[in-house]
Amino acid sequence: MTGQVAEAPSETAGATRLLTVGVEEEFLLVDPHTGAAVPAVDLVMEQVPAELRGQVEREFQTSQIEIGSPPGLELSSIRHSLGVLRRALADASERAGVRLLAIGTGPVDGPVPPVVDKPRFDRMIERFRLLVPGPGNNGMHVHVGVPDPETGVQVLNHVRPWLPLLHAMTTNSPFARGEDTGYASWRSVEWERWPSVAPTPWLESHEHYQRLIRQLIASGVMLDEGMLYWYARLSAKYPTVELRIGDVCPSVDDAVLVAALVRALVATAMTDVEAGRPALLTDHHLLVGAHWRAAHDGLEGEAVDVTTGELRPAWELLDRFVDRLRPALEQHGDWAEVTDLLGGLRRHGSGAARQRAVYARTGRLTDVVQDVARQTRD
């Protein structure tokens, strides 16, 4: 993780509480001619401008690289930070002879790049062996400030039922090993190989949260708290809740939209907690099914209505979800921009739909790679 995603969790002006939000994004490094993942992170890091290196890090595999935006109250600051970092990293990649892709996993078949040489990663490989997922898994993590861990745990209970919709929004990896996988997010399928990847469980308290972590480490499921790969968790480093369910978004517009909705979801949850309204108690296995459906269909198919267990068009449930968040979006001054960005998402489709549209036109995955690279920079 980069060290730039959290500061004071919120600001208060009278009765209005505004929450900070920060974004981490992981990218794939590929050969500019073939589109196959390449182990080039060290070469790219050498080309990153000195003033931005504190916001850029190596990730798990040598074909990956990560950025982190400073936290902010305004979406405009998040947009600016992500735009500057993406363009700088795309330029650094080109100087290193490779290309930067905001994509969930590599679409083109090729050798699996090695893991970054770090003692912790070495221990993970020793313990978990063949769970390394192909060319690299690239996600987006959104941090939102909370006042204390007990509040954070209650927020986790309130947000857990709604995360499959955000999962569907961010699907951006339909291709792998040179073919269409049939899933909108193949990254999600590969990622679930790790034993600590799961929907966040129902939590009684912060002590319960900590006890589960200790038990999972003792069982060997995790090496440390950093391997708690629940779809929402408390950050181990910052005073934030961290939502980490989606593929990295193809464009800055997509990332800003997700960041705004995540912050509004957390703000809505905090309002409900303070008002004593109970969280929706959703069965764990229904959530597992809802996340599978999100990974399979994305936004272009059906999604599970967790209030009924029935399938509905994903866009219908997303519209209802955004309406539910409208008070928090208006409170943060985000409603107009979110409305505009949702219109763009509706016109262009999810990242997975965009990739499939390019492939349907040309029949070449190299064209898909070029289009993703364009969206990544622009």
Side-chain angles (χ1 to χ4, degrees):
M1 298 296 178
T2 62
Q4 302 291 325
V5 294
E7 50 184 21
S10 65
E11 290 188 4
T12 302
T16 302
R17 177 190 56 239
L18 300 179
L19 304 181
T20 58
V21 61
V23 174
E24 297 169 340
E25 295 187 303
E26 299 161 352
F27 303 97
L28 190 68
L29 303 172
V30 302
D31 183 289
H33 306 293
T34 67
V38 289
V41 67
D42 289 339
L43 295 174
V44 175
M45 289 291 289
E46 291 173 0
Q47 298 296 326
V48 173
E51 67 273 15
L52 297 179
R53 288 179 185 171
Q55 295 171 259
V56 180
E57 282 193 357
R58 294 166 179 81
E59 238 295 321
F60 187 62
Q61 287 172 257
T62 52
S63 52
Q64 298 175 277
I65 197 163
E66 179 183 21
I67 63 172
S69 76
L73 292 170
E74 302 291 337
L75 287 187
S76 58
S77 67
I78 300 299
R79 176 183 295 281
H80 175 75
S81 295
L82 293 180
V84 167
L85 287 165
R86 280 181 175 228
R87 286 190 294 273
L89 209 54
D91 289 342
S93 300
E94 291 177 12
R95 288 193 293 272
V98 298
R99 182 164 288 166
L100 184 77
L101 297 187
I103 196 168
T105 194
V108 177
D109 199 13
V112 175
V115 171
V116 169
D117 185 15
K118 291 176 63 173
R120 180 172 179 268
F121 293 165
D122 292 341
R123 292 195 303 273
M124 290 170 69
I125 295 300
E126 182 180 2
R127 171 78 59 84
F128 299 102
R129 307 300 293 175
L130 295 178
L131 296 185
V132 178
N137 265 201
N138 303 297
M140 173 186 181
H141 308 158
V142 182
H143 289 256
V144 181
V146 291
D148 58 78
E150 285 293 350
T151 301
V153 164
Q154 295 307 310
V155 166
L156 295 180
N157 285 340
H158 279 259
V159 305
R160 62 193 288 272
W162 311 110
L163 300 188
L165 286 172
L166 294 171
H167 193 165
M169 277 185 65
T170 56
T171 50
N172 187 33
S173 51
F175 297 102
R177 298 177 182 87
E179 61 183 80
D180 193 319
T181 65
Y183 284 77
S185 174
W186 187 247
R187 179 205 65 89
S188 301
V189 177
E190 292 187 323
W191 184 232
E192 287 174 1
R193 296 175 183 178
W194 294 92
S196 56
V197 174
T200 308
W202 182 268
L203 299 161
E204 299 170 2
S205 63
H206 186 231
E207 192 283 327
H208 180 208
Y209 180 92
Q210 293 178 309
R211 184 169 72 249
L212 281 174
I213 290 173
R214 292 193 299 269
Q215 291 169 339
L216 290 170
I217 293 172
S219 73
V221 167
M222 308 188 313
L223 293 180
D224 50 38
E225 187 173 351
M227 284 192 69
L228 187 71
Y229 297 143
W230 294 343
Y231 299 143
R233 68 182 188 183
L234 302 183
S235 172
K237 295 181 179 180
Y238 312 118
T240 64
V241 293
E242 179 187 2
L243 274 63
R244 41 185 300 119
I245 52 156
D247 294 352
V248 64
C249 291
S251 73
V252 170
D253 273 354
D254 298 311
V256 169
L257 174 59
V258 173
L261 294 178
V262 168
R263 175 167 63 179
L265 177 60
V266 171
T268 301
M270 288 180 63
T271 298
D272 288 342
V273 169
E274 291 164 0
R277 289 188 284 269
L280 180 65
L281 183 55
T282 307
D283 184 84
H284 173 79
H285 292 287
L286 181 60
L287 280 183
V288 170
H291 279 286
W292 175 85
R293 193 81 201 195
H296 185 273
D297 284 26
L299 268 184
E300 283 65 44
E302 294 186 302
V304 176
D305 182 342
V306 295
T307 65
T308 65
E310 298 175 350
L311 286 176
R312 304 295 302 167
W315 264 106
E316 176 186 318
L317 295 181
L318 181 60
D319 286 339
R320 283 163 42 188
F321 173 65
V322 174
D323 285 342
R324 182 175 182 271
L325 302 184
R326 181 167 182 168
L329 290 167
E330 290 180 336
Q331 176 184 334
H332 286 85
D334 297 343
W335 176 251
E337 182 163 5
V338 163
T339 300
D340 182 60
L341 293 173
L342 276 171
L345 184 64
R346 196 184 299 270
R347 288 191 301 274
H348 303 304
S350 66
R354 291 173 223 170
Q355 289 186 46
R356 283 171 166 153
V358 172
Y359 189 73
R361 288 196 304 271
T362 73
R364 293 189 297 269
L365 284 176
T366 50
D367 291 336
V368 173
V369 167
Q370 290 179 5
D371 189 67
V372 173
R374 177 192 58 79
Q375 293 181 74
T376 303
R377 176 187 288 278
D378 295 342

